[in-house]
Amino acid sequence: MTEIIEQSFQGVIFNITYFKEIEEKLLTYQLKHPSECIPIVPFFSNTNKKKLDDFYVSDITPAKSYDEYMFSLVNYGFPFIVQNFINKHPEWSQLIIRYG
């Protein structure tokens, strides 16, 4: 049995073990869907963070998506953003252990 590694970030407890399993899928999803910002960037590997940084400054759509993400982060908080993301993508709901 695989040990589940938890990590808390701004009021959300993530399943890092599961995240590492699907990190490439999340990165690919983000690159294919520039109008939606994945709110769990802090956990990406350094290589993938660099790819995402380049992506967000590459053209107007990812940049706009990131600006909207930052606006929501400031106004609604990180748990709200993550919960909305998971509501849109229940296939990745195992990422969240709990809010809290």
Side-chain angles (χ1 to χ4, degrees), residues 10 21-22 47-48 50 55 58 62-63 68 70 72 75 80-81 96 99:
Q10 294 187 6
E21 290 174 18
I22 65 165
T47 303
N48 287 339
K50 172 84 172 96
F55 171 72
S58 64
E68 289 172 2
M70 291 306 292
S72 294
N75 288 291
F80 175 83
I81 294 170
I96 309 303
Y99 297 94

Side-chain angles (χ1 to χ4, degrees), residues 52-67:
L52 286 171
D53 287 345
D54 292 344
F55 171 72
Y56 289 130
V57 298
S58 64
D59 66 49
I60 193 86
T61 303
K64 185 174 182 280
S65 171
Y66 190 76
D67 287 346

Side-chain angles (χ1 to χ4, degrees), residues 23-31 44 48 51-52:
E23 181 176 0
E24 290 299 321
K25 288 180 186 175
L26 288 170
L27 177 67
T28 301
Y29 178 84
Q30 178 67 92
L31 298 176
F44 279 96
N48 287 339
K51 289 177 187 175
L52 286 171

Side-chain angles (χ1 to χ4, degrees), residues 3-98:
E3 180 185 359
I4 294 175
I5 299 169
E6 298 179 4
Q7 186 162 348
S8 178
F9 185 78
Q10 294 187 6
V12 181
I13 299 174
F14 289 95
N15 178 342
I16 297 301
T17 304
Y18 179 66
F19 172 77
K20 290 301 175 190
E21 290 174 18
I22 65 165
E23 181 176 0
E24 290 299 321
K25 288 180 186 175
L26 288 170
L27 177 67
T28 301
Y29 178 84
Q30 178 67 92
L31 298 176
K32 289 183 178 179
H33 298 88
S35 63
E36 184 176 359
C37 187
I38 290 182
I40 50 180
V41 172
F43 299 117
F44 279 96
S45 67
N46 287 336
T47 303
N48 287 339
K49 277 184 193 174
K50 172 84 172 96
K51 289 177 187 175
L52 286 171
D53 287 345
D54 292 344
F55 171 72
Y56 289 130
V57 298
S58 64
D59 66 49
I60 193 86
T61 303
K64 185 174 182 280
S65 171
Y66 190 76
D67 287 346
E68 289 172 2
Y69 163 78
M70 291 306 292
F71 177 82
S72 294
L73 183 63
V74 169
N75 288 291
Y76 303 112
F78 187 70
F80 175 83
I81 294 170
V82 172
Q83 195 165 25
N84 277 350
F85 179 77
I86 293 300
N87 287 342
K88 290 179 189 174
H89 304 285
E91 68 273 19
W92 292 325
S93 62
Q94 291 178 36
L95 279 170
I96 309 303
I97 293 175
R98 68 181 178 274

